[in-house]
Amino acid sequence: GNNTEKITYMYDENGNETTEKKFKNGTQTNEIIYIYDESKNLLTSQADRQIQKASIKIIKYEYGFY
């Protein structure tokens, strides 16, 4: 059969990607939410939600400036 995959993206007013949603055959399978530091627009964390597995993986980022 036909397998169709689609990815949608949403961005904030600064052009940073905030949400990525993946669909397979019209059903959402995955959602990634990106969270940014408001003052520097640096990515601070992301939540990766696997809908069919009912799981969420959270990744936190830290930056060091020299």
Coordinates of all heavy atoms in Angstrom, one line a residue:
G1 N 0.8 -1.2 0.0 CA 0.0 0.0 0.0 C 0.9 1.2 0.0 O 2.1 1.2 0.1
N2 N 0.2 2.3 -0.1 CA 0.9 3.6 -0.1 C 1.2 4.1 1.4 O 0.3 4.1 2.2 CB 0.0 4.7 -0.7 CG -0.1 4.6 -2.2 OD1 0.8 3.9 -2.8 ND2 -1.1 5.2 -2.8
N3 N 2.4 4.4 1.6 CA 2.8 5.0 2.9 C 3.2 6.4 2.6 O 4.0 6.7 1.8 CB 4.1 4.3 3.4 CG 3.7 2.9 4.0 OD1 2.6 2.7 4.5 ND2 4.7 2.0 4.0
T4 N 2.4 7.3 3.3 CA 2.7 8.7 3.2 C 3.3 9.3 4.5 O 2.8 8.9 5.6 CB 1.5 9.5 2.8 OG1 0.5 9.4 3.7 CG2 1.0 9.1 1.4
E5 N 4.3 10.0 4.4 CA 4.9 10.7 5.6 C 4.9 12.2 5.4 O 5.1 12.6 4.3 CB 6.3 10.1 5.8 CG 6.3 8.7 6.2 CD 7.7 8.2 6.6 OE1 8.6 9.0 6.9 OE2 7.8 6.9 6.6
K6 N 4.6 12.9 6.5 CA 4.5 14.3 6.4 C 5.1 14.9 7.7 O 5.0 14.3 8.8 CB 3.0 14.8 6.3 CG 2.8 16.2 6.4 CD 1.3 16.5 6.3 CE 0.9 17.9 6.8 NZ -0.5 18.1 6.8
I7 N 5.9 16.0 7.6 CA 6.4 16.7 8.7 C 6.0 18.1 8.6 O 6.1 18.8 7.6 CB 8.0 16.6 8.7 CG1 8.4 15.2 8.7 CG2 8.5 17.4 9.9 CD1 9.9 15.0 8.6
T8 N 5.5 18.6 9.8 CA 5.1 20.1 9.8 C 6.0 20.7 10.9 O 6.4 20.1 11.8 CB 3.6 20.3 10.2 OG1 3.4 19.7 11.6 CG2 2.7 19.6 9.3
Y9 N 6.3 22.0 10.6 CA 7.2 22.8 11.5 C 6.5 24.1 11.9 O 5.7 24.7 11.1 CB 8.5 23.2 10.7 CG 9.2 22.0 10.2 CD1 9.0 21.5 8.9 CD2 10.1 21.3 11.0 CE1 9.7 20.5 8.4 CE2 10.9 20.2 10.5 CZ 10.6 19.8 9.2 OH 11.4 18.7 8.7
M10 N 6.7 24.5 13.1 CA 6.2 25.8 13.6 C 7.4 26.6 14.2 O 8.3 26.0 14.7 CB 5.2 25.6 14.7 CG 3.9 24.9 14.2 SD 2.6 24.7 15.5 CE 2.2 26.5 15.7
Y11 N 7.3 27.9 14.0 CA 8.4 28.8 14.4 C 7.9 29.9 15.3 O 6.8 30.3 15.1 CB 9.1 29.3 13.2 CG 9.7 28.3 12.3 CD1 8.9 27.7 11.3 CD2 11.0 27.9 12.4 CE1 9.5 26.7 10.5 CE2 11.6 26.9 11.6 CZ 10.8 26.3 10.6 OH 11.3 25.3 9.8
D12 N 8.8 30.4 16.1 CA 8.4 31.6 16.9 C 8.8 32.9 16.1 O 9.2 32.8 15.0 CB 9.1 31.6 18.3 CG 10.7 31.7 18.2 OD1 11.2 32.1 17.2 OD2 11.3 31.4 19.3
E13 N 8.5 34.0 16.8 CA 8.7 35.3 16.1 C 10.1 35.6 15.7 O 10.4 36.4 14.9 CB 8.1 36.4 16.9 CG 8.7 36.7 18.3 CD 8.2 35.7 19.3 OE1 7.3 34.9 19.1 OE2 8.7 35.8 20.5
N14 N 11.1 34.9 16.4 CA 12.5 35.1 16.1 C 13.0 34.1 15.0 O 14.2 34.1 14.7 CB 13.3 34.9 17.4 CG 13.0 35.9 18.4 OD1 12.9 37.1 18.1 ND2 12.8 35.5 19.6
G15 N 12.1 33.3 14.5 CA 12.5 32.3 13.5 C 13.1 31.0 14.0 O 13.6 30.2 13.3
N16 N 13.0 30.8 15.3 CA 13.4 29.5 16.0 C 12.3 28.5 15.8 O 11.2 28.7 16.0 CB 13.7 29.7 17.4 CG 14.8 30.7 17.7 OD1 15.8 30.6 17.1 ND2 14.6 31.6 18.7
E17 N 12.8 27.3 15.4 CA 11.8 26.2 15.3 C 11.3 25.8 16.7 O 12.1 25.6 17.7 CB 12.5 25.0 14.7 CG 11.5 23.8 14.5 CD 12.2 22.6 13.8 OE1 13.4 22.7 13.4 OE2 11.6 21.6 13.8
T18 N 10.0 25.8 16.9 CA 9.4 25.5 18.2 C 8.8 24.1 18.3 O 8.7 23.5 19.3 CB 8.3 26.5 18.6 OG1 7.3 26.6 17.6 CG2 9.0 27.9 18.8
T19 N 8.2 23.7 17.2 CA 7.5 22.4 17.1 C 7.8 21.7 15.8 O 7.7 22.3 14.8 CB 6.0 22.5 17.4 OG1 5.8 23.3 18.5 CG2 5.3 21.2 17.5
E20 N 8.0 20.4 15.9 CA 8.1 19.5 14.7 C 7.1 18.4 14.9 O 7.3 17.7 15.9 CB 9.5 19.1 14.5 CG 9.7 18.1 13.4 CD 11.2 17.6 13.3 OE1 12.1 18.5 13.5 OE2 11.4 16.4 13.1
K21 N 6.2 18.2 14.0 CA 5.3 17.0 14.1 C 5.4 16.1 12.9 O 5.5 16.6 11.8 CB 3.8 17.6 14.2 CG 3.5 18.3 15.4 CD 2.1 18.8 15.4 CE 1.8 19.6 16.7 NZ 0.4 20.0 16.7
K22 N 5.5 14.8 13.2 CA 5.6 13.8 12.1 C 4.3 13.0 12.0 O 3.8 12.6 13.1 CB 6.8 12.9 12.4 CG 8.1 13.7 12.4 CD 9.3 12.7 12.6 CE 10.6 13.5 12.6 NZ 11.8 12.7 12.9
F23 N 3.9 12.8 10.8 CA 2.7 12.0 10.5 C 3.0 10.9 9.6 O 3.9 11.0 8.7 CB 1.6 12.9 9.9 CG 1.2 14.0 10.7 CD1 1.9 15.2 10.7 CD2 0.1 14.0 11.5 CE1 1.5 16.3 11.5 CE2 -0.3 15.0 12.3 CZ 0.4 16.2 12.3
K24 N 2.4 9.7 9.8 CA 2.5 8.6 8.9 C 1.1 8.2 8.5 O 0.3 7.8 9.4 CB 3.3 7.4 9.5 CG 3.5 6.3 8.5 CD 4.6 5.4 9.0 CE 4.9 4.4 8.0 NZ 6.0 3.4 8.4
N25 N 0.7 8.2 7.2 CA -0.6 7.8 6.7 C -1.7 8.6 7.4 O -2.7 8.1 7.8 CB -0.8 6.3 6.9 CG 0.1 5.5 6.0 OD1 0.5 5.9 5.0 ND2 0.6 4.4 6.6
G26 N -1.4 9.9 7.7 CA -2.4 10.8 8.3 C -2.5 10.7 9.8 O -3.3 11.5 10.4
T27 N -1.7 9.9 10.5 CA -1.7 9.7 11.9 C -0.4 10.3 12.5 O 0.6 9.9 12.0 CB -1.9 8.3 12.3 OG1 -3.1 7.7 11.8 CG2 -1.9 8.1 13.8
Q28 N -0.6 11.2 13.5 CA 0.6 11.7 14.1 C 1.4 10.7 14.9 O 0.8 9.9 15.7 CB 0.3 12.9 15.0 CG 1.5 13.6 15.6 CD 1.1 14.8 16.4 OE1 0.0 15.3 16.4 NE2 2.1 15.3 17.1
T29 N 2.7 10.5 14.6 CA 3.5 9.5 15.3 C 4.5 10.1 16.3 O 5.0 9.4 17.2 CB 4.3 8.7 14.2 OG1 5.1 9.6 13.5 CG2 3.3 8.0 13.3
N30 N 4.8 11.4 16.1 CA 5.9 12.0 16.8 C 5.7 13.5 16.9 O 5.2 14.1 16.0 CB 7.3 11.7 16.1 CG 8.5 12.2 16.8 OD1 8.8 13.4 16.5 ND2 9.1 11.5 17.7
E31 N 6.2 14.1 18.0 CA 6.2 15.5 18.2 C 7.4 15.9 19.0 O 7.7 15.4 20.1 CB 4.9 16.0 18.9 CG 4.9 17.5 19.2 CD 3.6 17.9 19.8 OE1 3.0 17.1 20.6 OE2 3.1 19.0 19.5
I32 N 8.1 16.9 18.5 CA 9.3 17.4 19.2 C 9.0 18.9 19.5 O 8.7 19.6 18.6 CB 10.6 17.3 18.3 CG1 10.8 15.8 18.0 CG2 11.8 17.9 19.1 CD1 12.0 15.6 17.0
I33 N 9.2 19.2 20.7 CA 9.0 20.6 21.2 C 10.4 21.2 21.6 O 11.1 20.6 22.4 CB 8.0 20.7 22.3 CG1 6.7 20.2 21.9 CG2 7.9 22.1 22.9 CD1 5.7 19.9 23.0
Y34 N 10.7 22.3 21.0 CA 12.0 23.0 21.3 C 11.8 24.2 22.2 O 10.9 25.0 22.0 CB 12.7 23.4 20.0 CG 13.0 22.3 19.1 CD1 12.1 22.0 18.0 CD2 14.1 21.5 19.2 CE1 12.3 20.9 17.2 CE2 14.4 20.4 18.4 CZ 13.5 20.2 17.3 OH 13.7 19.1 16.5
I35 N 12.6 24.3 23.3 CA 12.4 25.4 24.2 C 13.7 26.2 24.2 O 14.8 25.6 24.4 CB 12.1 24.9 25.6 CG1 10.8 24.1 25.6 CG2 12.0 26.0 26.6 CD1 10.5 23.2 26.8
Y36 N 13.6 27.5 24.1 CA 14.7 28.4 24.0 C 14.8 29.4 25.2 O 13.8 29.7 25.8 CB 14.6 29.3 22.7 CG 14.6 28.5 21.5 CD1 13.5 27.9 21.0 CD2 15.8 28.2 20.8 CE1 13.5 27.1 19.8 CE2 15.9 27.4 19.7 CZ 14.7 26.9 19.2 OH 14.7 26.1 18.0
D37 N 16.1 29.8 25.5 CA 16.4 30.8 26.5 C 15.9 32.1 25.8 O 16.3 32.5 24.7 CB 17.9 30.8 26.7 CG 18.3 32.0 27.6 OD1 18.0 33.1 27.3 OD2 18.9 31.7 28.6
E38 N 15.0 32.9 26.5 CA 14.5 34.1 25.9 C 15.5 35.2 25.7 O 15.3 35.9 24.7 CB 13.3 34.6 26.8 CG 12.1 33.7 26.8 CD 11.0 34.3 27.7 OE1 11.0 35.5 27.9 OE2 10.2 33.5 28.1
S39 N 16.5 35.3 26.5 CA 17.4 36.4 26.3 C 18.5 36.2 25.2 O 18.8 37.1 24.5 CB 18.2 36.7 27.6 OG 19.0 35.6 28.0
K40 N 18.9 34.9 25.0 CA 20.0 34.6 24.1 C 19.5 33.8 22.9 O 20.2 33.6 21.9 CB 21.1 33.9 24.7 CG 21.8 34.7 25.8 CD 22.9 33.9 26.4 CE 23.5 34.6 27.6 NZ 22.7 34.5 28.8
N41 N 18.2 33.4 22.9 CA 17.7 32.5 21.8 C 18.5 31.3 21.6 O 18.6 30.8 20.5 CB 17.5 33.3 20.5 CG 16.4 34.3 20.6 OD1 15.3 33.9 21.1 ND2 16.6 35.5 20.0
L42 N 19.0 30.7 22.7 CA 19.7 29.5 22.7 C 18.8 28.3 23.0 O 18.0 28.5 23.9 CB 20.9 29.5 23.6 CG 22.0 30.5 23.4 CD1 23.0 30.5 24.5 CD2 22.7 30.2 22.0
L43 N 18.9 27.2 22.4 CA 18.1 26.0 22.7 C 18.5 25.5 24.0 O 19.6 25.3 24.3 CB 18.3 25.0 21.6 CG 17.5 23.7 21.7 CD1 16.0 24.0 21.5 CD2 18.0 22.7 20.6
T44 N 17.5 25.5 25.0 CA 17.8 25.0 26.3 C 17.3 23.6 26.6 O 17.9 22.8 27.4 CB 17.2 25.9 27.4 OG1 15.8 26.0 27.2 CG2 17.8 27.3 27.3
S45 N 16.2 23.1 25.9 CA 15.8 21.8 26.0 C 14.8 21.4 24.9 O 14.3 22.3 24.2 CB 15.1 21.6 27.4 OG 14.0 22.5 27.5
Q46 N 14.6 20.1 24.8 CA 13.6 19.6 23.8 C 12.9 18.4 24.4 O 13.5 17.6 25.2 CB 14.3 19.3 22.5 CG 15.1 18.0 22.4 CD 15.7 17.8 21.0 OE1 16.4 18.7 20.5 NE2 15.5 16.7 20.5
A47 N 11.7 18.3 24.1 CA 10.9 17.1 24.5 C 10.5 16.4 23.2 O 9.9 16.9 22.3 CB 9.7 17.5 25.3
D48 N 10.8 15.1 23.2 CA 10.6 14.2 22.0 C 9.5 13.2 22.4 O 9.8 12.3 23.2 CB 11.9 13.5 21.5 CG 11.7 12.7 20.3 OD1 10.5 12.5 19.8 OD2 12.7 12.3 19.7
R49 N 8.3 13.4 21.9 CA 7.2 12.6 22.3 C 6.9 11.5 21.2 O 6.6 11.9 20.1 CB 5.9 13.5 22.5 CG 4.7 12.8 23.0 CD 3.7 13.8 23.3 NE 2.4 13.3 22.9 CZ 1.4 14.0 22.3 NH1 1.5 15.2 22.1 NH2 0.3 13.4 22.1
Q50 N 7.1 10.3 21.6 CA 6.7 9.2 20.7 C 5.3 8.7 21.0 O 5.1 8.1 22.0 CB 7.7 8.0 20.9 CG 9.2 8.3 20.7 CD 9.5 8.5 19.2 OE1 8.9 7.8 18.4 NE2 10.4 9.3 18.9
I51 N 4.4 9.1 20.2 CA 2.9 9.0 20.5 C 2.5 7.5 20.6 O 1.9 7.1 21.6 CB 2.1 9.7 19.5 CG1 2.4 11.2 19.7 CG2 0.6 9.4 19.7 CD1 1.8 12.1 18.7
Q52 N 2.9 6.7 19.7 CA 2.5 5.3 19.7 C 3.1 4.5 20.8 O 2.6 3.5 21.3 CB 2.7 4.6 18.3 CG 1.9 5.3 17.2 CD 2.2 4.8 15.8 OE1 3.4 4.5 15.6 NE2 1.3 4.9 14.9
K53 N 4.3 4.9 21.2 CA 5.0 4.2 22.3 C 4.7 4.8 23.7 O 5.1 4.3 24.7 CB 6.5 4.3 22.1 CG 7.1 3.6 20.9 CD 8.5 3.7 20.8 CE 9.1 3.0 19.6 NZ 10.5 3.2 19.4
A54 N 3.9 5.9 23.7 CA 3.5 6.6 24.9 C 4.7 6.9 25.7 O 4.8 6.7 26.9 CB 2.5 5.8 25.7
S55 N 5.7 7.5 25.1 CA 7.0 7.8 25.8 C 7.4 9.3 25.4 O 7.1 9.8 24.3 CB 8.1 6.9 25.5 OG 8.5 7.0 24.1
I56 N 8.1 9.9 26.3 CA 8.7 11.2 26.1 C 10.2 11.2 26.6 O 10.5 10.7 27.6 CB 7.9 12.3 26.9 CG1 6.5 12.4 26.5 CG2 8.6 13.6 26.8 CD1 5.7 13.3 27.3
K57 N 11.0 11.7 25.7 CA 12.4 11.8 26.0 C 12.7 13.3 26.1 O 12.4 14.1 25.2 CB 13.3 11.2 24.9 CG 14.8 11.4 25.1 CD 15.6 10.6 24.1 CE 15.4 11.0 22.7 NZ 16.3 10.4 21.7
I58 N 13.3 13.7 27.2 CA 13.6 15.1 27.4 C 15.2 15.3 27.4 O 15.9 14.6 28.0 CB 13.1 15.6 28.8 CG1 11.6 15.5 28.8 CG2 13.5 17.1 29.0 CD1 10.9 15.8 30.1
I59 N 15.6 16.2 26.6 CA 17.0 16.5 26.4 C 17.2 18.0 26.9 O 16.5 18.9 26.4 CB 17.5 16.4 25.0 CG1 17.3 14.9 24.5 CG2 19.0 16.8 24.8 CD1 17.5 14.7 23.0
K60 N 18.2 18.2 27.8 CA 18.5 19.5 28.2 C 19.9 19.9 27.7 O 20.8 19.1 27.7 CB 18.5 19.6 29.8 CG 17.1 19.5 30.3 CD 17.1 19.8 31.8 CE 15.6 19.7 32.3 NZ 15.5 20.2 33.6
Y61 N 20.1 21.2 27.3 CA 21.3 21.6 26.8 C 21.9 22.7 27.7 O 21.2 23.5 28.3 CB 21.1 22.3 25.4 CG 20.6 21.4 24.4 CD1 19.2 21.3 24.1 CD2 21.4 20.6 23.6 CE1 18.7 20.4 23.2 CE2 21.0 19.7 22.7 CZ 19.6 19.6 22.5 OH 19.1 18.7 21.5
E62 N 23.2 22.7 27.9 CA 24.0 23.7 28.6 C 25.1 24.2 27.7 O 25.6 23.5 26.9 CB 24.6 23.1 29.9 CG 23.5 22.7 30.9 CD 24.1 22.2 32.2 OE1 25.4 22.3 32.4 OE2 23.4 21.6 33.0
Y63 N 25.4 25.5 27.9 CA 26.4 26.1 27.1 C 27.5 26.7 28.0 O 27.2 27.2 29.1 CB 25.7 27.3 26.3 CG 24.7 26.8 25.3 CD1 23.4 26.7 25.7 CD2 25.0 26.5 24.0 CE1 22.4 26.3 24.8 CE2 24.1 26.0 23.2 CZ 22.8 26.0 23.6 OH 21.8 25.5 22.7
G64 N 28.7 26.6 27.5 CA 29.8 27.3 28.2 C 30.5 28.2 27.2 O 30.8 27.9 26.1
F65 N 30.7 29.5 27.7 CA 31.3 30.5 26.8 C 32.7 30.8 27.4 O 32.8 31.0 28.6 CB 30.4 31.7 26.8 CG 29.0 31.5 26.2 CD1 27.9 31.2 27.0 CD2 28.9 31.5 24.8 CE1 26.7 30.9 26.5 CE2 27.6 31.2 24.3 CZ 26.5 30.9 25.1
Y66 N 33.6 30.9 26.5 CA 35.0 31.1 26.9 C 35.5 32.4 26.3 O 35.1 32.9 25.3 CB 35.9 30.0 26.4 CG 35.4 28.7 27.0 CD1 34.6 27.8 26.2 CD2 35.9 28.3 28.2 CE1 34.2 26.6 26.8 CE2 35.4 27.0 28.7 CZ 34.6 26.2 28.0 OH 34.2 25.1 28.5

